Amino acid sequence: MLLRSIRTTLAAAARHFSVEVAAEKAIQNKGTGDGRDSIGRRLFSLVYSKRSAVITIQKWKSEGHNVQKYQLNRIVRELRKIKRFKHALEVCEWMTQQKDMKLLPGDYAVHLDLIAKVRGLTSAEKFFEDLPDQMRGWQVCTSLLHTYSMNKLLEKAEALMRKMAECSFLKNPLPYNHMLSLYVAEGQLEKVPGIIEELKKKTSPDVVTFNLRLRVCSLQNDVETAEEVLKELRKAKVEPDWITYSTLTNLYIKNELLQKAASSLKEMEKRASRKNRIAYSSLLSLHTNAGDKASVHRIWNKMKSLFRKMSDAEYTCMMASLAKLGEIEKAENLYTEWEAVSGSGDPQVPNILLAAYINNNLIEEAETFHDRIVQKGIRPAYTTWELLTWGHLKEKHMEKVLDYFKKAITSVERWNPDKKLVGEVFKNLEENGNVEKAEEFLVMLRDAGVLSTEIYNSLLRTYEKAGKMPLIVAERMKKDDVKLNEETNRLIQKTSTMCVSDVSSYVS
């Protein structure tokens, strides 16, 4: 249960890590590289989304400079890498207004993708429909298919694939890879073989295709088929990448095939480089899962020798590895190092160490560490409060459990109910017949807008355990628009013969 917060943190780190690297690279490479002013430098320096890329381009032109299509295409590509989608879209839209710029279907494919990211699916579909027929080629259709895949719109994606087949647009593996990704995401693995068979009839699989097939093998825990896929990849003379071996290694580790995992990790490390920096974080995690402490430290030292500065995501990954390997003291030292070099104040980094303390039942150390991060000006996130809630729940410190739970749910605009956490809190309150705290907890849940029949039944079971009769429960449930069920009626009937409880200040 505590690991859920760690997994959330690491997933977020993985999502943002590649963006950090791309942003750093784009800033280093923007413009001419010799320090002179350029349209690239001006566009990258906008930073804030409210500023206009169009005004920047027009000002550049008004100063007598030329603007060429290849320059803007390169800038759009770099802006997309660092997720500056609004500015990239503005550049694309400016290009469509220029009569001297001849745009190709590939340009419109990028344009559609940016519209989907900035304005949503409906706008992207309208853009597609409004395009001239000659521009709705395979590139634009594939871009729309990618949008459907990202939004998990299976029926629309399948319908578009059929239309693309009718138009003979399925001549490369990219559309098939989008469909494979969608089927994997939706858990419809039984449809994968059919797509692979169709792909092979029309074109040849690429490394992404093979990686997706390996992903399916991993989900099905099928080592034998995964090794057959790898043989097929080699026979097709497709060069495997680090993702290929990362997926394979993970499967080997899961099945305790550590010798094979070690061999696969060596191949993966050969393919890690400055260009795919995120591969090193994956290596850290895989060596950790294999229990190889020496390799974890070796990879970390290699990373520090290769890169000028380690990112928050990389510190997070290494700290998680150290914590999982039981090297808490080294994780503490690494956190101190991060604290000295990073000014981001990202609460997800200390959350890793906080979770380590709690997982090891070191609740006092967790509280001391929490005080430290607050004193350093780091604002706790929802996951921080959630971790502390779980920690004190393990120790049955219900006063602090409710205090931290309230801080957790009030730290977000809309709370996504964690049924397991709610259930565990009520389970403890029920076991101890803690009526007053159960009523307090119910009020918090009401304020969060997540009351249910089961929550009220938990409250009634707490009264039953305490041997007390609750007041006006049916009326309160009606007011909260919560339905009674058979269990509710049974509990009300049973507790109605018990002594009347004191009127709680939480009963409204």
Side-chain angles (χ1 to χ4, degrees):
M1 55 190 175
L2 292 172
L3 292 177
R4 191 174 77 90
S5 293
I6 298 177
R7 283 195 290 268
T8 301
T9 296
L10 291 177
R15 285 193 299 272
H16 294 297
F17 173 69
S18 57
V19 178
E20 287 186 35
V21 175
E24 183 177 346
K25 182 180 175 184
I27 291 168
Q28 289 171 351
N29 294 339
K30 66 187 177 183
T32 60
D34 57 6
R36 290 184 298 178
D37 190 16
S38 71
I39 183 61
R41 285 184 178 277
R42 291 193 186 185
L43 287 169
F44 278 106
S45 66
L46 293 178
V47 182
Y48 299 108
S49 61
K50 289 184 179 180
R51 295 181 180 176
S52 170
V54 173
I55 292 174
T56 302
I57 297 171
Q58 289 174 339
K59 187 172 186 298
W60 178 259
K61 284 199 75 177
S62 71
E63 294 171 3
H65 302 291
N66 289 325
V67 177
Q68 296 178 304
K69 184 191 167 195
Y70 82 90
Q71 291 176 309
L72 295 181
N73 279 343
R74 180 175 177 273
I75 290 166
V76 167
R77 184 170 64 249
E78 294 299 325
L79 286 171
R80 291 175 77 200
K81 283 182 183 178
I82 59 175
K83 297 189 181 293
R84 293 260 296 277
F85 300 127
K86 177 182 174 290
H87 287 146
L89 177 58
E90 288 172 351
V91 174
C92 286
E93 289 177 335
W94 184 86
M95 290 168 68
T96 63
Q97 303 300 315
Q98 310 312 303
K99 294 180 180 179
D100 59 337
M101 284 191 181
K102 185 179 179 181
L103 300 184
L104 302 173
D107 299 314
Y108 288 110
V110 172
H111 196 154
L112 185 148
D113 178 71
L114 288 167
I115 288 173
K117 286 180 168 65
V118 176
R119 297 183 187 139
L121 176 65
T122 302
S123 295
E125 288 179 320
K126 185 177 186 310
F127 177 81
F128 179 82
E129 293 298 330
D130 290 345
L131 280 176
D133 289 343
Q134 66 270 25
M135 288 299 163
R136 278 187 287 185
W138 72 267
Q139 299 101 319
V140 177
C141 288
T142 302
S143 183
L144 182 60
L145 181 65
H146 173 67
T147 299
Y148 287 151
S149 177
M150 290 295 99
N151 286 276
K152 298 184 179 179
L153 298 170
L154 191 55
E155 290 184 8
K156 286 190 172 187
E158 289 177 331
L160 181 56
M161 277 291 280
R162 288 192 291 270
K163 288 182 180 179
M164 291 176 72
E166 291 170 7
C167 298
S168 300
F169 285 168
L170 302 176
K171 294 181 178 179
N172 71 69
L174 186 55
Y176 293 103
N177 290 343
H178 288 322
M179 288 306 302
L180 286 170
S181 296
L182 182 53
Y183 286 138
V184 170
E186 291 296 283
Q188 297 194 19
L189 305 185
E190 70 282 357
K191 292 186 177 182
V192 169
I195 286 287
I196 297 296
E197 188 177 339
E198 186 182 336
L199 183 156
K200 288 178 178 178
K201 290 178 182 177
K202 299 285 181 67
T203 181
S204 299
D206 61 8
V207 68
V208 176
T209 312
F210 284 109
N211 286 346
L212 286 165
R213 291 178 64 188
L214 286 171
R215 172 67 178 149
V216 172
C217 293
S218 181
L219 290 170
Q220 296 175 330
N221 201 28
D222 188 347
V223 174
E224 186 178 347
T225 303
E227 291 180 334
E228 288 299 318
V229 170
L230 189 65
K231 287 178 184 177
E232 189 181 330
L233 176 148
R234 288 169 176 160
K235 188 177 179 181
K237 295 183 179 179
V238 173
E239 181 62 32
D241 60 13
W242 70 269
I243 296 172
T244 310
Y245 287 104
S246 175
T247 307
L248 197 58
T249 302
N250 188 54
L251 183 56
Y252 285 145
I253 292 171
K254 195 161 52 173
N255 287 274
E256 298 183 357
L257 301 169
L258 297 186
Q259 272 194 320
K260 288 187 173 183
S263 177
S264 185
L265 276 166
K266 286 179 182 177
E267 292 299 321
M268 180 182 167
E269 190 172 342
K270 289 176 186 176
R271 290 159 177 81
S273 68
R274 289 176 179 271
K275 289 183 179 179
N276 50 37
R277 182 170 170 172
I278 194 172
Y280 289 103
S281 292
S282 182
L283 281 165
L284 285 176
S285 298
L286 290 168
H287 280 300
T288 299
N289 293 340
D292 188 348
K293 292 183 182 182
S295 290
V296 168
H297 289 287
R298 179 179 60 78
I299 294 295
W300 180 248
N301 290 332
K302 186 175 182 179
M303 290 168 69
K304 295 190 107 177
S305 69
L306 283 172
F307 306 115
R308 181 176 57 84
K309 182 182 177 183
M310 310 308 290
S311 71
D312 285 357
E314 287 164 331
Y315 275 108
T316 299
C317 186
M318 184 58 179
M319 282 176 58
S321 291
L322 293 171
K324 189 169 184 179
L325 293 168
E327 297 190 320
I328 302 296
E329 188 175 342
K330 289 181 179 178
E332 290 170 334
N333 293 338
L334 189 62
Y335 176 77
T336 300
E337 179 185 316
W338 172 83
E339 205 174 43
V341 299
S342 176
S344 70
D346 183 356
Q348 302 304 342
V349 181
N351 274 1
I352 295 295
L353 193 50
L354 187 67
Y357 288 135
I358 291 169
N359 279 323
N360 286 279
N361 300 315
L362 302 170
I363 192 65
E364 290 184 12
E365 286 83 348
E367 283 286 3
T368 301
F369 180 65
H370 173 248
D371 291 340
R372 171 182 168 180
I373 65 177
V374 170
Q375 288 169 8
K376 291 287 185 178
I378 296 176
R379 185 178 180 181
Y382 167 80
T383 45
T384 311
W385 301 123
E386 185 186 44
L387 282 166
L388 288 165
T389 302
W390 278 114
H392 283 288
L393 187 57
K394 287 174 73 176
E395 301 296 323
K396 302 187 185 303
H397 300 157
M398 299 312 294
E399 188 77 38
K400 288 195 172 183
V401 166
L402 297 187
D403 180 43
Y404 284 128
F405 179 84
K406 186 173 184 178
K407 287 176 178 176
I409 62 176
T410 55
S411 69
V412 290
E413 288 186 17
R414 184 181 179 87
W415 183 53
N416 185 24
D418 182 346
K419 292 182 180 179
K420 188 169 185 179
L421 178 57
V422 171
E424 287 297 319
V425 173
F426 255 126
K427 181 182 176 182
N428 185 280
L429 295 171
E430 286 176 33
E431 288 173 351
N432 292 282
N434 195 335
V435 170
E436 189 72 13
K437 293 300 178 188
E439 288 283 7
E440 182 181 347
F441 190 45
L442 184 135
V443 171
M444 291 182 195
L445 296 171
R446 177 191 290 127
D447 292 342
V450 295
L451 285 183
S452 66
T453 304
E454 181 51 37
I455 287 170
Y456 260 104
N457 286 349
S458 293
L459 176 70
L460 286 166
R461 283 192 291 270
T462 308
Y463 273 99
E464 180 186 23
K465 178 70 176 179
K468 295 181 179 180
M469 181 178 73
L471 298 174
I472 57 170
V473 171
E475 291 85 343
R476 290 164 62 190
M477 291 180 72
K478 183 177 180 181
K479 184 179 178 181
D480 290 329
D481 196 25
V482 176
K483 293 181 180 179
L484 287 73
N485 63 12
E486 188 176 331
E487 174 71 358
T488 317
N489 290 321
R490 184 192 71 78
L491 287 165
I492 290 175
Q493 179 68 29
K494 188 168 184 180
T495 55
S496 66
T497 61
M498 297 175 178
C499 63
V500 179
S501 65
D502 295 333
V503 178
S504 170
S505 60
Y506 294 101
V507 177
S508 57

Coordinates of all heavy atoms in Angstrom, one line a residue, residues 367-411:
E367 N 8.9 11.5 10.8 CA 8.4 12.8 11.3 C 9.5 13.8 11.4 O 9.3 15.0 11.0 CB 7.8 12.6 12.7 CG 6.4 12.0 12.6 CD 5.3 12.9 12.1 OE1 5.6 14.1 11.7 OE2 4.1 12.5 12.1
T368 N 10.7 13.4 11.8 CA 11.8 14.3 11.9 C 12.2 14.8 10.5 O 12.5 16.0 10.3 CB 13.0 13.6 12.6 OG1 12.6 13.2 13.9 CG2 14.2 14.5 12.7
F369 N 12.2 13.8 9.6 CA 12.6 14.2 8.2 C 11.6 15.1 7.6 O 11.9 16.1 6.9 CB 12.7 12.9 7.4 CG 13.1 13.2 6.0 CD1 14.4 13.7 5.6 CD2 12.2 12.9 4.9 CE1 14.7 14.0 4.3 CE2 12.6 13.1 3.6 CZ 13.8 13.6 3.3
H370 N 10.3 14.9 7.9 CA 9.2 15.7 7.4 C 9.4 17.2 7.9 O 9.3 18.1 7.2 CB 7.9 15.2 7.8 CG 6.7 16.1 7.5 ND1 6.0 16.8 8.4 CD2 6.3 16.6 6.3 CE1 5.1 17.5 7.8 NE2 5.2 17.4 6.5
D371 N 9.7 17.3 9.2 CA 10.0 18.6 9.8 C 11.2 19.3 9.0 O 11.1 20.5 8.8 CB 10.3 18.5 11.3 CG 9.1 18.1 12.1 OD1 8.0 18.3 11.6 OD2 9.3 17.6 13.2
R372 N 12.2 18.5 8.7 CA 13.3 19.1 8.0 C 13.0 19.6 6.6 O 13.4 20.7 6.3 CB 14.4 18.0 7.9 CG 15.6 18.3 7.0 CD 16.5 17.1 6.8 NE 17.5 17.3 5.8 CZ 18.5 16.4 5.5 NH1 18.5 15.3 6.2 NH2 19.3 16.6 4.5
I373 N 12.2 18.9 5.9 CA 11.9 19.4 4.5 C 11.0 20.6 4.5 O 11.1 21.5 3.7 CB 11.3 18.2 3.6 CG1 9.9 17.8 4.2 CG2 12.2 17.1 3.5 CD1 9.2 16.7 3.3
V374 N 10.1 20.7 5.6 CA 9.3 21.8 5.7 C 10.1 23.1 6.1 O 9.9 24.2 5.5 CB 8.2 21.6 6.8 CG1 7.4 22.9 7.1 CG2 7.2 20.5 6.3
Q375 N 11.1 22.9 7.0 CA 12.0 24.0 7.4 C 12.8 24.5 6.2 O 13.2 25.6 6.1 CB 12.9 23.5 8.5 CG 12.1 23.4 9.8 CD 13.0 22.7 10.9 OE1 14.2 22.4 10.7 NE2 12.4 22.3 12.0
K376 N 13.1 23.6 5.2 CA 13.8 23.9 4.0 C 13.0 24.6 3.0 O 13.4 25.0 1.9 CB 14.5 22.7 3.4 CG 15.6 22.1 4.3 CD 16.9 22.9 4.2 CE 18.0 22.3 4.9 NZ 19.2 23.1 4.9
G377 N 11.7 24.8 3.3 CA 10.8 25.5 2.4 C 10.2 24.6 1.3 O 9.6 25.2 0.3
I378 N 10.3 23.3 1.4 CA 9.7 22.4 0.5 C 8.2 22.2 0.9 O 7.9 21.7 2.0 CB 10.4 21.1 0.4 CG1 11.8 21.3 -0.1 CG2 9.7 20.1 -0.5 CD1 12.7 20.0 -0.1
R379 N 7.3 22.5 -0.1 CA 5.9 22.4 0.2 C 5.4 21.0 0.0 O 5.6 20.4 -1.1 CB 5.1 23.3 -0.7 CG 3.6 23.4 -0.4 CD 2.9 24.4 -1.3 NE 1.5 24.4 -1.0 CZ 0.6 25.2 -1.7 NH1 1.1 25.9 -2.7 NH2 -0.6 25.2 -1.4
P380 N 4.9 20.3 1.1 CA 4.5 18.9 0.9 C 3.4 18.8 -0.2 O 2.5 19.6 -0.3 CB 3.9 18.6 2.3 CG 4.6 19.5 3.2 CD 4.7 20.8 2.4
A381 N 3.5 17.6 -0.9 CA 2.5 17.3 -1.9 C 1.4 16.4 -1.3 O 1.6 15.9 -0.2 CB 3.1 16.7 -3.1
Y382 N 0.4 16.1 -2.1 CA -0.6 15.1 -1.6 C 0.0 13.8 -1.2 O -0.3 13.3 -0.1 CB -1.6 14.9 -2.7 CG -2.5 13.7 -2.4 CD1 -3.6 13.8 -1.6 CD2 -2.3 12.4 -3.0 CE1 -4.4 12.7 -1.3 CE2 -3.0 11.3 -2.7 CZ -4.1 11.5 -1.8 OH -4.9 10.4 -1.5
T383 N 1.0 13.3 -2.0 CA 1.6 12.1 -1.7 C 2.4 12.1 -0.4 O 2.5 11.1 0.3 CB 2.5 11.6 -2.8 OG1 3.3 12.7 -3.3 CG2 1.7 11.1 -4.0
T384 N 2.9 13.3 0.0 CA 3.6 13.4 1.3 C 2.6 13.1 2.4 O 2.9 12.3 3.3 CB 4.2 14.8 1.4 OG1 4.9 15.2 0.2 CG2 5.1 14.9 2.6
W385 N 1.5 13.8 2.4 CA 0.5 13.6 3.5 C 0.0 12.2 3.4 O -0.3 11.6 4.5 CB -0.7 14.6 3.3 CG -0.3 16.0 3.3 CD1 -0.5 17.0 2.3 CD2 0.4 16.7 4.3 NE1 0.0 18.2 2.7 CE2 0.6 18.1 3.9 CE3 1.0 16.3 5.6 CZ2 1.2 19.0 4.7 CZ3 1.6 17.3 6.4 CH2 1.7 18.6 5.9
E386 N -0.2 11.6 2.3 CA -0.7 10.2 2.1 C 0.3 9.3 2.8 O -0.1 8.3 3.5 CB -1.0 9.9 0.7 CG -1.6 8.5 0.5 CD -1.7 8.1 -1.0 OE1 -0.7 8.3 -1.7 OE2 -2.7 7.6 -1.4
L387 N 1.5 9.4 2.5 CA 2.6 8.6 3.1 C 2.5 8.6 4.6 O 2.6 7.6 5.3 CB 3.9 9.0 2.6 CG 4.3 8.5 1.2 CD1 5.6 9.3 0.7 CD2 4.6 7.0 1.2
L388 N 2.4 9.9 5.2 CA 2.4 10.0 6.6 C 1.1 9.4 7.2 O 1.1 8.9 8.3 CB 2.5 11.5 7.0 CG 3.9 12.1 6.8 CD1 3.8 13.6 6.8 CD2 4.9 11.6 7.8
T389 N 0.0 9.5 6.4 CA -1.2 8.9 6.9 C -1.1 7.4 7.0 O -1.4 6.8 8.0 CB -2.4 9.2 5.9 OG1 -2.5 10.6 5.7 CG2 -3.7 8.6 6.4
W390 N -0.5 6.7 6.0 CA -0.2 5.3 6.0 C 0.7 4.9 7.2 O 0.5 3.9 7.9 CB 0.4 4.8 4.7 CG -0.6 4.6 3.6 CD1 -0.7 5.2 2.4 CD2 -1.6 3.5 3.6 NE1 -1.8 4.7 1.7 CE2 -2.3 3.7 2.4 CE3 -2.0 2.5 4.5 CZ2 -3.4 2.8 2.0 CZ3 -3.1 1.7 4.1 CH2 -3.7 1.8 2.9
G391 N 1.8 5.8 7.3 CA 2.8 5.5 8.4 C 2.1 5.4 9.8 O 2.4 4.5 10.5
H392 N 1.3 6.4 10.1 CA 0.7 6.5 11.4 C -0.4 5.4 11.5 O -0.7 5.0 12.6 CB 0.2 7.9 11.7 CG 1.3 8.8 12.1 ND1 2.0 8.7 13.3 CD2 1.9 9.8 11.4 CE1 2.9 9.7 13.3 NE2 2.9 10.3 12.2
L393 N -1.0 5.0 10.4 CA -2.0 4.0 10.4 C -1.4 2.7 10.8 O -2.0 1.9 11.6 CB -2.7 3.9 9.0 CG -3.9 2.9 8.9 CD1 -5.0 3.3 9.9 CD2 -4.4 3.0 7.5
K394 N -0.2 2.4 10.3 CA 0.6 1.2 10.7 C 0.8 1.2 12.2 O 0.8 0.1 12.9 CB 1.9 1.1 10.0 CG 1.8 0.8 8.5 CD 3.2 0.9 7.9 CE 4.1 -0.3 8.2 NZ 5.4 -0.2 7.5
E395 N 1.0 2.4 12.8 CA 1.3 2.5 14.3 C 0.0 2.7 15.1 O 0.1 2.8 16.3 CB 2.2 3.6 14.5 CG 3.6 3.5 13.8 CD 4.4 2.3 14.3 OE1 4.4 2.0 15.5 OE2 5.1 1.7 13.4
K396 N -1.1 2.7 14.3 CA -2.4 2.9 15.0 C -2.5 4.2 15.8 O -3.2 4.3 16.8 CB -2.8 1.7 15.8 CG -2.9 0.4 15.1 CD -3.4 -0.7 15.9 CE -3.3 -2.1 15.2 NZ -4.0 -2.1 13.9
H397 N -1.8 5.3 15.3 CA -1.9 6.6 15.9 C -3.1 7.4 15.2 O -2.9 8.2 14.3 CB -0.6 7.4 15.7 CG 0.6 6.7 16.3 ND1 1.9 7.0 15.9 CD2 0.7 5.8 17.3 CE1 2.7 6.2 16.6 NE2 2.0 5.6 17.5
M398 N -4.3 7.1 15.6 CA -5.5 7.5 14.8 C -5.7 9.0 14.8 O -6.2 9.6 13.9 CB -6.8 6.8 15.3 CG -6.7 5.3 15.2 SD -6.1 4.8 13.5 CE -7.5 5.3 12.5
E399 N -5.2 9.7 15.9 CA -5.3 11.2 15.9 C -4.5 11.8 14.8 O -5.0 12.6 14.0 CB -4.8 11.7 17.3 CG -5.0 13.2 17.5 CD -6.4 13.5 17.9 OE1 -7.0 12.7 18.6 OE2 -6.9 14.5 17.4
K400 N -3.3 11.3 14.6 CA -2.4 11.8 13.5 C -2.9 11.3 12.2 O -2.7 11.9 11.1 CB -1.0 11.4 13.8 CG -0.3 12.1 14.9 CD 1.2 12.0 14.9 CE 1.8 13.0 16.0 NZ 3.2 12.9 16.0
V401 N -3.4 10.0 12.1 CA -4.0 9.5 10.9 C -5.0 10.5 10.3 O -4.9 10.8 9.1 CB -4.6 8.1 11.1 CG1 -5.4 7.7 9.9 CG2 -3.5 7.1 11.3
L402 N -5.9 10.9 11.1 CA -7.0 11.7 10.6 C -6.5 13.1 10.3 O -6.9 13.8 9.4 CB -8.1 11.8 11.7 CG -8.9 10.5 11.9 CD1 -10.1 10.7 12.8 CD2 -9.3 9.8 10.6
D403 N -5.5 13.6 11.1 CA -4.9 14.9 10.8 C -4.2 14.9 9.5 O -4.5 15.8 8.7 CB -3.9 15.2 11.9 CG -3.3 16.6 11.7 OD1 -4.0 17.5 11.4 OD2 -2.0 16.7 11.9
Y404 N -3.4 13.9 9.2 CA -2.7 13.9 7.9 C -3.6 13.6 6.8 O -3.4 14.1 5.7 CB -1.6 12.9 8.0 CG -0.4 13.4 8.8 CD1 0.2 12.6 9.8 CD2 0.2 14.6 8.5 CE1 1.3 13.1 10.5 CE2 1.3 15.1 9.2 CZ 1.8 14.3 10.2 OH 2.9 14.8 11.0
F405 N -4.7 12.7 7.0 CA -5.6 12.4 6.0 C -6.3 13.7 5.5 O -6.5 14.0 4.3 CB -6.6 11.4 6.4 CG -7.7 11.1 5.4 CD1 -7.4 10.1 4.4 CD2 -8.9 11.7 5.4 CE1 -8.4 9.8 3.5 CE2 -9.9 11.4 4.5 CZ -9.6 10.5 3.5
K406 N -6.7 14.5 6.5 CA -7.4 15.8 6.2 C -6.5 16.7 5.4 O -6.9 17.4 4.4 CB -7.9 16.5 7.5 CG -8.7 17.7 7.2 CD -9.3 18.3 8.5 CE -10.2 19.5 8.3 NZ -10.8 20.0 9.5
K407 N -5.2 16.8 5.7 CA -4.3 17.6 5.0 C -4.1 17.1 3.6 O -3.9 17.9 2.6 CB -2.9 17.6 5.7 CG -2.9 18.5 7.0 CD -1.6 18.4 7.7 CE -1.7 19.3 9.0 NZ -0.4 19.2 9.8
A408 N -4.2 15.7 3.4 CA -4.0 15.1 2.1 C -5.1 15.5 1.2 O -4.9 16.1 0.1 CB -3.9 13.6 2.2
I409 N -6.4 15.3 1.6 CA -7.5 15.6 0.7 C -7.8 17.1 0.5 O -8.4 17.4 -0.5 CB -8.8 14.9 1.2 CG1 -9.2 15.4 2.6 CG2 -8.6 13.4 1.3 CD1 -10.5 14.8 3.1
T410 N -7.3 17.9 1.4 CA -7.5 19.3 1.2 C -6.4 20.0 0.5 O -6.4 21.2 0.1 CB -7.7 20.1 2.6 OG1 -6.6 19.8 3.4 CG2 -9.0 19.7 3.3
S411 N -5.4 19.2 0.1 CA -4.2 19.7 -0.6 C -4.4 19.6 -2.1 O -3.6 20.1 -2.9 CB -2.9 18.9 -0.3 OG -3.0 17.6 -0.8

